[in-house]
Amino acid sequence: MRSPPVAEVGKNDTSIFWSFLMAMTLIEIKSLLETLGKRYFCDDERDQLFLPCNCGGNHIHILLSLQVQVEGEAEGESEFLQLRSRDFPTLDREHPAAHAVLEEILAFNYGTRFVKIGVDAADGEILAFGDIWLADGVVTAGQMATVIKNFVQSVANAQDRVAATMATKKTSRDRERDRECDDFFQACVAEHEADVAAEAGPNNTQAEAA
């Protein structure tokens, strides 16, 4: 018998309805985290887990939740596990580095596959998220460990890039170009000094020393 559409389910029974569609449950996610020895907190009102992490001094707080994307007949195959992090400063559109930060985020999204960064146009909130589509499958403990590790490392990298861009008003690409120009200039100065010393010759050097 096919499950009834959401409209036919009472408000208090909605969570029961979604449980029939879920390939995994929040209880199973908790069990995976406990198997991995991860410390977490549970938000029962929002049906999500809160997982504090650390990566090289970067503090990252992961929100884990199971969601279902309803798309007609494919609704039963549209479950996904989402990881989110709000550990970024708010981006004021009037901030002098706003354009550079948006450009940095675009570059980050282009270069990563799992984690993406979004900016809320209404209030400037910066959010990192990663979706694991489950369909009718489940996540193993090993896969969960890899997902958490990759997510934390990617968010820490994004935090550093956004912070540096806000501080310098330059993207990482622009900063790299500045370093290359500085290195080139220093190399030219060193080469010039070496040429001057060679032209002076050992006799002049000895005379100056005397």
Side-chain angles (χ1 to χ4, degrees):
M1 179 178 177
R2 179 173 174 169
S3 301
V6 177
E8 297 179 18
V9 181
K11 181 178 180 181
N12 296 332
D13 300 327
T14 304
S15 60
I16 298 176
F17 167 75
W18 287 122
S19 67
F20 286 107
L21 296 180
M22 293 291 188
M24 292 190 73
T25 65
L26 212 58
I27 294 176
E28 291 174 302
I29 300 299
K30 291 179 184 178
S31 179
L32 290 178
L33 295 176
E34 291 165 3
T35 298
L36 297 172
K38 299 292 186 181
R39 183 168 60 96
Y40 67 88
F41 303 93
C42 186
D43 185 345
D44 294 324
E45 289 187 4
R46 297 180 176 83
D47 288 329
Q48 63 184 13
L49 304 177
F50 177 79
L51 182 66
C53 301
N54 186 289
C55 181
N58 293 54
H59 298 289
I60 298 163
H61 307 87
I62 303 176
L63 290 172
L64 282 165
S65 63
L66 287 167
Q67 303 185 31
V68 174
Q69 179 174 324
V70 180
E71 294 183 356
E73 297 297 325
E75 58 189 26
E77 300 178 356
S78 300
E79 183 193 0
F80 61 94
L81 170 66
Q82 185 174 83
L83 294 81
R84 299 191 304 280
S85 171
R86 296 187 174 92
D87 299 302
F88 295 90
T90 300
L91 181 62
D92 186 341
R93 66 178 62 188
E94 301 301 326
H95 193 286
H99 180 78
V101 170
L102 292 175
E103 187 176 337
E104 186 70 26
I105 289 174
L106 286 174
F108 176 90
N109 287 340
Y110 183 79
T112 58
R113 298 183 63 182
F114 173 44
V115 179
K116 300 301 177 185
I117 307 293
V119 180
D120 190 331
D123 58 13
E125 179 187 42
I126 301 178
L127 173 72
F129 63 92
D131 295 336
I132 305 296
W133 290 92
L134 300 174
D136 57 352
V138 296
V139 177
T140 66
Q143 290 170 335
M144 179 64 79
T146 300
V147 165
I148 292 174
K149 179 181 178 181
N150 289 345
F151 185 82
V152 169
Q153 290 178 341
S154 295
V155 172
N157 177 33
Q159 285 178 330
D160 291 342
R161 290 173 63 167
V162 169
T165 302
M166 279 190 161
T168 63
K169 303 180 182 64
K170 294 182 178 181
T171 66
S172 56
R173 183 179 181 183
D174 291 335
R175 295 193 300 273
E176 180 61 28
R177 286 175 177 172
D178 289 346
R179 284 191 293 269
E180 290 175 353
C181 290
D182 186 61
D183 290 343
F184 178 74
F185 175 75
Q186 295 298 332
C188 289
V189 170
E191 183 178 357
H192 174 70
E193 291 177 347
D195 290 341
V196 170
E199 291 176 0
N203 294 332
N204 290 343
T205 303
Q206 293 174 1
E208 291 177 0

